């Protein structure tokens, strides 16, 4: 998703400067061309050689030594950048940019660029709360500069509070977001993900192999594209996506309650969760004892959340998934019609690289008009964007019909 993008990464002088090395690694892995600019203070913490080795490009440090190949260094970098990222950004550098000061290579490049600028502050907690810092950040935000807020924690200066550089993986996600068009701006997307757990007793439950990867990828992609996203997630090991309201649930009953509540404000819904169709009729208060050679469990049906939504969807766009092990298209078409869906994403979970737990999927996207799109083996991150593209096409078609 970063392929071919030119990222100019400014590193300023803070103890978190070493974390910028991980950020360079992520950008390079994502396919970006990375050019690192270091302030004089940054060089007190990390050597340029680290960034040169990781970025495979010379590191720029000096405003006046940077005239190469007839180009003025800071102007050339400012023009070539698709995105300028400053991580870590000190209060000093942020203050200078907010006041229009351009007295070193980094601030001059920021002043000269037309590319978006993403700032990841890192500083002492009291500095971060200082009204002068706050008004500088506010001023820059008002001018369209993007920020990825620091996190709370034990700071190198000994204070505990907000000021720790955000996780490089999240800065990377925010950089991706800064490079992405906001075609879902104004939409409120509800996504469900992961499995549900139906408890038999305090130590056992019925569940399935869903890891949440598919639904989380959709939530992340939609957020990148400007949607306001609510993610209702069953128990999974994934980090809640940054900037997404994530509500954790355990059972199908809880998922039903939360999803139907959040449905009211949604304009679009994608139900990637693998909801248990049945739960034990009785949940034992104490651990069930071994009784004999066999045990029969009585199960009772859970509500079908998607079918309920289908009955009350009005103008919302409703997208379901179908996890099948046989007769993929036939079963999926049945679900599309019976649950009153706009789209259905069908995966044959017996195929290698498809369905539960893996990073990839192989799906067919079924539309109401009977068309079926084959999506071959691909990363769930990529598939998430394709699904969102199809949802936008449905939205535009509906809007077109309304305006006729
Ligand atoms: O989480 P991963 O490891 O990344 O795996 C992804 C996935 C395989 C879970 C995903 O791609 C997928 O197929 N999700 C739907 C799984 C499923 O429960 O399919 P289903 O055919 O049983 O249900 C059809 C649809 O009805 C689904 O959208 C489901 O969310 C919904 N449903 C089902 C039962 C129920 N009681 N309520 C529901 O809303």
């Amino acid at each position: 998703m970063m392929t071919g993008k030119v990222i100019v990464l400014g590193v300023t002088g803070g103890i978190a400067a070493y974390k910028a090395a991980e950020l360079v690694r992520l950008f390079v892995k994502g396919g970006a061309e990375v050019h690192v600019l270091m302030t004089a203070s940054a060089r007190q913490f990390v050597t340029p050689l680290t960034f040169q080795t990781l970025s495979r490009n010379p590191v720029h440090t000096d405003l006046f030594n940077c005239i190469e190949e007839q180009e003025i260094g800071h102007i050339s970098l400012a023009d070539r950048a698709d995105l300028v990222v400053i991580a870590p950004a000190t209060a000093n550098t942020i203050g200078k940019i907010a006041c229009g000061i351009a007295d070193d290579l980094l601030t001059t490049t920021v002043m000269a660029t037309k590319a978006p600028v993403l700032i990841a502050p890192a500083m002492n907690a009291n500095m971060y709360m200082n009204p002068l810092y706050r008004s500088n950040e506010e001023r820059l935000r008002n001018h369209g500069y993007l920020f990825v807020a620091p996190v709370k924690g034990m700071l190198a200066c000994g204070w505990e509070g907000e000021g720790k550089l955000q996780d490089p993986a999240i800065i990377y996600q925010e950089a991706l977001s800064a490079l992405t068009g906001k075609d879902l701006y104004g939409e409120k997307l509800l996504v469900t993900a992961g499995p549900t757990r139906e408890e038999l007793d305090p130590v056992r439950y019925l569940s399935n192999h869903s890891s949440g990867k598919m639904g989380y990828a959709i939530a992340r992609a939609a957020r990148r594209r400007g949607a306001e996203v609510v993610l209702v997630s069953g128990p999974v090991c994934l980090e809640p996506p940054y900037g997404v309201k994530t509500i954790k649930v355990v059972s199908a009953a809880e998922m039903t309650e939360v999803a139907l509540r959040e449905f009211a404000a949604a304009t679009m819904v994608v139900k990637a969760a693998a909801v248990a169709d049945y739960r034990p009729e009785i949940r034992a208060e104490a651990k069930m004892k071994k009784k004999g050679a066999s045990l029969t469990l009585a199960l009772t049906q859970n509500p079908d959340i998607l079918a309920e939504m289908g009955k009350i969807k009005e103008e919302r766009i409703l997208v379901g998934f179908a996890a099948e092990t046989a007769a993929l298209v036939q079963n999926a078409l049945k679900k599309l019609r019976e649950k009153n869906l706009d789209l259905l994403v069908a995966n044959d979970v017996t195929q290698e690289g498809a369905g539960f737990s893996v990073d990839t999927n192989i799906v067919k996207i079924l539309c109401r008009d009977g068309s079926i799109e084959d999506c071959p083996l691909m990363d769930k991150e990529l598939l998430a964007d394709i699904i969102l593209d199809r949802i936008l096409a449905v939205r535009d078609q509906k809007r077109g019909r309304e305006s006729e």
Side-chain angles (χ1 to χ4, degrees), residues 125-194:
N126 295 334
M127 288 169 85
Y128 188 62
M129 285 304 152
N130 186 305
L132 287 174
Y133 171 78
R134 300 249 53 91
S135 66
N136 285 337
E137 181 176 321
E138 182 69 17
R139 184 174 158 81
L140 287 172
R141 280 185 188 273
N142 290 339
H143 282 281
Y145 287 78
L146 305 166
F147 279 80
V148 50
V151 290
K152 278 190 183 154
M154 181 58 84
L155 304 173
C157 55
W159 280 83
E160 194 164 349
E162 214 170 343
K164 236 171 120 76
L165 183 70
Q166 184 56 266
D167 180 350
I170 289 176
I171 301 174
Y172 177 80
Q173 284 295 331
E174 289 303 280
L176 263 184
S177 173
L179 289 164
T180 306
K182 301 292 175 241
D183 53 4
L184 280 171
Y185 182 76
E187 300 295 349
K188 293 181 176 179
L189 178 71
L190 169 62
V191 184
T192 68

